[in-house]
Amino acid sequence: MLKRILVVGFCIGLMGCDDDAIVYPPDVKETVATELENTVWKPTYAASNESGTHKQESLSQAYIQEIKFEDNVVVVTERTGKVTRYGYDVSNANNSTNFPDPVQLNVKTNYANLYLTLPRDYSNMEMYLRIKEKEALFYEARYKK
């Protein structure tokens, strides 16, 4: 009985230990938000399958014309001129000792999927957008600051 109590006590003690080297998802989100604050991204490449086949579009026809990070949200300007603010999560952050590279942001929208992928140095960004879950229509683009 004493052995069981010691083993349980030891296990509880281990669970209470906190490793400062672990990178937690909220810390990743906070770091990304701070590092991207007030950056504005414009498309350098745009493509879609809007015409029925996957093809490159002119930059003026990119579905998302501008992406800006401010106040822990993503501000998206669509080609129609509509400006909307969305929250986001870092979808590939986990409790690990490494900061994710690339960083993938899952933007919280009414669309089926809006993902932004950035290398750790934030030199460029890729966007993937699917409007409706069961439709084949999608948009993709690359952006630079």
Side-chain angles (χ1 to χ4, degrees):
M1 184 67 161
L2 182 59
K3 286 183 182 179
R4 285 186 187 170
I5 291 173
L6 289 174
V7 169
V8 169
F10 180 73
C11 290
I12 290 172
L14 283 178
M15 290 180 350
C17 292
D18 191 278
D19 186 353
D20 291 336
I22 293 178
V23 179
Y24 294 102
D27 297 336
V28 173
K29 164 91 187 276
E30 190 174 310
T31 300
V32 169
T34 300
E35 292 176 351
L36 289 175
E37 182 71 19
N38 294 318
T39 59
V40 178
W41 300 76
K42 300 280 188 176
T44 59
Y45 168 85
S48 78
N49 67 348
E50 202 168 18
S51 64
T53 61
H54 185 261
K55 70 172 198 164
Q56 186 172 350
E57 299 177 332
S58 71
L59 297 180
S60 64
Q61 290 301 308
Y63 194 83
I64 297 178
Q65 289 290 310
E66 181 181 280
I67 298 172
K68 182 177 182 183
F69 291 85
E70 65 180 31
D71 303 327
N72 291 330
V73 298
V74 175
V75 180
V76 173
T77 304
E78 295 178 9
R79 66 180 167 203
T80 60
K82 179 181 174 186
V83 178
T84 312
R85 296 169 56 93
Y86 298 113
Y88 65 91
D89 288 322
V90 180
S91 59
N92 63 338
N94 55 23
N95 293 341
S96 70
T97 56
N98 299 325
F99 199 92
D101 188 12
V103 176
Q104 185 172 34
L105 307 180
N106 179 16
V107 183
K108 301 173 185 178
T109 69
N110 293 333
Y111 300 124
N113 306 101
L114 176 54
Y115 294 110
L116 305 175
T117 305
L118 302 97
R120 183 64 183 105
D121 65 359
Y122 306 123
S123 58
N124 59 63
M125 175 172 53
E126 292 183 11
M127 180 273 302
Y128 176 82
L129 170 65
R130 181 174 299 277
I131 304 290
K132 295 184 180 175
E133 189 66 42
K134 298 195 186 228
E135 288 187 14
L137 178 63
F138 69 89
Y139 298 92
E140 62 183 359
R142 293 186 200 106
Y143 295 82
K144 289 258 186 205
K145 292 187 240 181

